[in-house]
Amino acid sequence: METKDLELEKILSKYHYAGISVIHTTKDEIDYMLSYGKQDLESGVDITPETIYRIASVSKVIVAIGVMTLVEKGVLDIYEDISKYLGYEVRNPKHPDKIITLEKIMTQTSSITDGFDDPNYGYDAVNVMGSYVPLKELLTNPNYKYYNPKTYLDAAPGEEWRYSNFNCGILACIIESVTGKYFTDYIKEVLLDPLEIDGGFRVEQVVKKDKVASLYYYENEEFTLARNLQQFERIMYSKFELGNNFRGPAGGLFISPKDLSKIMLMMMNKGTYKGKQILKEETVNEMEKVHWSGYS
């Protein structure tokens, strides 16, 4: 057993886990891959570097890449009011004179929040619902049944950082509004397919579904199944009207560590992976700049 295996096993021995994949890369290629545990505890299938995970909030990077492909084409401008792209005015009611730009959405400084874990109103409430919820109503209509005034901070756009899944969903809706394509399809077209990645923001887009890992909770010293492939397939949002599919993009990408490393290598190499240019070098440089600093 190599030293790196022993070192990792020493670390892992301190924790409880169902399965773990580790990939280390240089700037040019994958250096080594390690896998431990089970892809699915019930069936006993082993984890491999090809195991496909729902990667949670790492998905946000992929949404940002999608936005920047449209900035390159001149379709989007990160300093433009998002109202222009959504087709209706979006303002923090406490600061109606302040525009909310794409840059502020992407830096989590838009003053738009998830609704502070309110189970009845706002993004946090509707995120667990399968029914159609119009984005416009949620952002602009105080009389809408799920509208939450806590969606907006007291701070003006650009003044305060606040982590938000909703902001990422709004980006996906903007992509749909300006392209006339579902966000999930657009990302496959401009990023996943060119890099020959088996994955997507909908599990139905995964080819090797037998590689999809189950999710588990660890409570009271035991693992409890949270969701397996069959549940991922069954509990999936419908495709709603374009510009209204804001639930899912913030954490819903299915991808293997091996394929995810292609995106990382592409970014490390200023937009190019093995001769395939996904982004321009100046675009990656813009993404790597500090666009906001401060305290939340």
Side-chain angles (χ1 to χ4, degrees), residues 77-90:
D77 180 343
I78 63 171
Y79 302 108
E80 181 62 77
D81 185 346
I82 64 170
S83 305
K84 174 181 176 180
Y85 304 123
L86 290 172
Y88 47 86
E89 186 173 88
V90 179

Side-chain angles (χ1 to χ4, degrees), residues 52-238:
I52 294 172
Y53 299 89
R54 182 181 178 276
I55 63 168
S57 286
V58 179
S59 306
K60 292 180 173 65
V61 177
I62 283 68
V63 179
I65 290 172
V67 170
M68 296 308 291
T69 63
L70 292 166
V71 172
E72 284 189 351
K73 296 173 184 176
V75 176
L76 295 177
D77 180 343
I78 63 171
Y79 302 108
E80 181 62 77
D81 185 346
I82 64 170
S83 305
K84 174 181 176 180
Y85 304 123
L86 290 172
Y88 47 86
E89 186 173 88
V90 179
R91 294 285 187 273
N92 182 329
K94 301 154 191 174
H95 302 277
D97 58 329
K98 303 288 186 180
I99 67 169
I100 298 173
T101 65
L102 264 175
E103 182 193 38
K104 291 180 174 61
I105 293 283
M106 295 175 77
T107 56
Q108 304 277 24
T109 61
S110 67
S111 78
I112 296 173
T113 80
D114 290 350
F116 292 89
D117 297 318
D118 192 316
N120 300 306
Y121 306 101
Y123 175 89
D124 280 333
V126 302
N127 193 41
V128 298
M129 300 176 184
S131 56
Y132 175 57
V133 177
L135 179 63
K136 180 179 180 180
E137 299 298 299
L138 207 58
L139 285 173
T140 69
N141 185 0
N143 296 316
Y144 181 57
K145 58 183 176 180
Y146 296 123
Y147 182 87
N148 185 354
K150 292 181 181 178
T151 292
Y152 295 95
L153 294 173
D154 291 335
E159 288 184 351
E160 186 173 320
W161 182 91
R162 184 62 59 94
Y163 187 84
S164 166
N165 290 314
F166 194 12
N167 278 271
C168 192
I170 292 169
L171 290 177
C173 291
I174 288 172
I175 289 174
E176 292 188 346
S177 295
V178 300
T179 64
K181 300 176 181 179
Y182 285 108
F183 162 76
T184 51
D185 296 337
Y186 182 77
I187 288 296
K188 275 192 66 65
E189 176 186 319
V190 300
L191 180 64
L192 304 184
D193 287 348
L195 295 182
E196 298 179 2
I197 288 173
D198 182 9
F201 278 85
R202 297 178 67 85
V203 73
E204 66 191 22
Q205 295 175 314
V206 175
V207 175
K208 296 178 180 177
K209 292 183 175 61
D210 62 316
K211 299 292 186 182
V212 174
S214 299
L215 296 182
Y216 296 89
Y217 297 110
Y218 184 76
E219 298 175 324
N220 301 318
E221 299 187 355
E222 65 179 10
F223 288 99
T224 303
L225 179 66
R227 196 166 294 183
N228 58 20
L229 173 62
Q230 290 70 37
Q231 291 166 315
F232 280 129
E233 290 177 319
R234 188 173 68 252
I235 306 170
M236 187 164 49
Y237 294 118
S238 300

